[in-house]
Amino acid sequence: MKLKGRDLLTWTDYSRDEFLFLLNLSKNMKERLYAGEKYAPTHLGKTVLGIFEKPSTRTRISLEVAANQLGMKVIYTNPQELQLGRGETVEDTARVVSRIVDGIMARVYSHSSLVKLAENSDVPVINALSDECHPTQVLADALTIWEKLGRLEGVKLAFVGDGDNNMSHSLMQMGAKLGMEVRIVSPKGYWPGKKYLEPSEDDARRSGGSIMVTDNVEEGVKGVDVVYTDVWVSMGFEKEAEERMKIFKPYQVNSRLMDLAGKNAIFMHCLPAHRGYEVTDDVIDSPRSVVWDEAENRMHTIKAILAALI
């Protein structure tokens, strides 16, 4: 499958087959690494520019290790270290750096910055997180679910929390393409907008999956295979913290909520977790939690993305 030179801003732009190609490549790369097979540095001489407006643990480290295993070099920077911090436009920055590097991975506050980067870049632009989507995370999520449950099609996944954030959008995109039943369990006023809901519903109809949005926790979580949550206050929403804490309190993932799910349901979180808020210690540290495998899989899936696109 030819993906060289493609941007990855959201999974809406990719077909089911393209997603599955990258998922299978991720699984293959992980299995080869675990088997002790030395991975050939297929991308020697290639350079990726990492532009990180937001702090990062999993994405940054995964990017650097994955690139290193492929033989690539990573230049890590932030706007303050670039002329972006002194007023150079995103468009001009893209035109310059894309003549020098082979790919750009950007973690930004505004999704529009990624769109501008991609529109003015001659090399692939990969979304390392924006306020609207987190595509590299949900590829790792899909790999984790596949490993733990042995299947993807027909899996019931409940995302509990802010239904209009980057994770809920990307989980809908991913689940809809794979024939999953995705339930967004969120207070009214925080439901996903049409921009990401409608394309996901279209994909779900084609794949045999479904999308459900509800503010009823019991209805949304009952009998699911996967319970997924994210922080209630994402980076950039700190001013709303106090209000959000009150609104989302009934949506905390605790042992009572997990009891509503299927008896073999797993718990997932993209991390970092604010323990005692969106999730309790007895859930995230329980045998049902797969968050550490999920975090590790970021490296294997980012490696597949870099290998396929650059």
Side-chain angles (χ1 to χ4, degrees):
M1 185 167 292
K2 296 180 180 179
L3 296 178
K4 296 288 184 193
R6 289 275 298 276
D7 298 318
L8 175 53
L9 305 189
T10 84
W11 288 117
T12 302
D13 304 325
Y14 279 64
S15 69
R16 171 189 169 92
D17 287 346
E18 289 168 340
F19 186 97
L20 287 172
F21 172 82
L22 289 168
L23 181 59
N24 278 285
L25 181 59
S26 303
K27 188 172 186 288
N28 177 264
M29 286 180 159
K30 181 177 181 178
E31 288 173 349
R32 288 167 62 185
L33 190 66
Y34 269 62
E37 184 177 339
K38 188 175 181 181
Y39 194 80
T42 54
H43 290 62
L44 281 171
K46 300 293 185 181
T47 302
V48 182
L49 174 65
I51 302 175
F52 283 69
E53 292 182 351
K54 296 182 175 185
S56 173
T57 298
R58 282 146 294 277
T59 306
R60 178 183 176 179
I61 294 171
S62 295
L63 168 62
E64 297 210 19
V65 173
N68 180 265
Q69 290 183 7
L70 290 169
M72 294 183 181
K73 178 179 176 58
V74 175
I75 300 172
Y76 173 85
T77 188
N78 60 59
Q80 287 67 46
E81 295 172 333
L82 298 172
Q83 293 294 344
L84 278 169
R86 298 181 63 242
E88 185 170 46
T89 66
V90 172
E91 293 90 340
D92 287 354
T93 299
R95 293 177 186 120
V96 171
V97 300
S98 67
R99 289 181 172 228
I100 303 169
V101 301
D102 302 289
I104 301 168
M105 195 169 203
R107 186 178 181 92
V108 300
Y109 281 100
S110 173
H111 193 79
S112 63
S113 297
L114 282 170
V115 174
K116 291 175 184 177
L117 273 173
E119 287 176 344
N120 293 277
S121 172
D122 295 325
V123 298
V125 173
I126 300 165
N127 181 357
L129 180 143
S130 74
D131 58 333
E132 295 186 14
C133 295
H134 200 353
T136 63
Q137 175 65 53
V138 296
L139 185 61
D141 296 337
L143 178 58
T144 307
I145 295 168
W146 189 12
E147 290 174 337
K148 299 302 177 183
L149 302 184
R151 70 190 198 283
L152 289 164
E153 190 171 358
V155 165
K156 298 176 182 179
L157 181 151
F159 177 83
V160 184
D162 184 354
D164 198 26
N165 77 355
N166 47 24
M167 282 309 308
S168 61
H169 296 162
S170 292
L171 286 166
M172 286 193 303
Q173 294 168 1
M174 176 268 284
K177 290 184 188 301
L178 300 178
M180 295 170 63
E181 180 181 322
V182 179
R183 305 177 187 177
I184 305 299
V185 188
S186 179
K188 291 178 180 177
Y190 294 87
W191 287 3
K194 292 181 179 180
K195 180 178 179 180
Y196 293 108
L197 180 59
E198 291 183 348
S200 295
E201 289 174 330
D202 289 342
D203 279 343
R205 279 189 284 270
R206 285 189 287 268
S207 71
S210 64
I211 306 290
M212 180 179 86
V213 182
T214 180
D215 63 343
N216 186 306
V217 174
E218 183 170 355
E219 177 188 24
V221 175
K222 189 174 182 180
V224 298
D225 304 297
V226 181
V227 176
Y228 200 120
T229 194
D230 188 13
V231 295
W232 294 340
V233 184
S234 299
M235 288 179 281
F237 291 91
E238 289 79 5
K239 291 181 179 179
E240 303 174 21
E242 187 175 347
E243 180 185 7
R244 282 173 171 260
M245 293 299 180
K246 293 177 183 176
I247 292 171
F248 288 109
K249 190 174 181 179
Y251 296 84
Q252 181 187 70
V253 178
N254 48 40
S255 57
R256 181 191 60 80
L257 185 145
M258 288 299 296
D259 286 343
L260 294 171
K263 64 178 182 178
N264 296 317
I266 58 175
F267 170 74
M268 302 182 74
H269 193 307
C270 54
L271 302 179
H274 291 173
R275 291 165 175 259
Y277 291 94
E278 75 272 7
V279 63
T280 54
D281 287 346
D282 62 334
V283 171
I284 196 170
D285 293 328
S286 75
R288 305 177 82 171
S289 172
V290 299
V291 298
W292 317 120
D293 300 286
E294 184 183 1
E296 179 200 334
N297 282 338
R298 295 297 308 287
M299 191 276 286
H300 305 295
T301 49
I302 284 177
K303 183 161 65 173
I305 290 168
L306 294 176
L309 269 57
I310 296 178

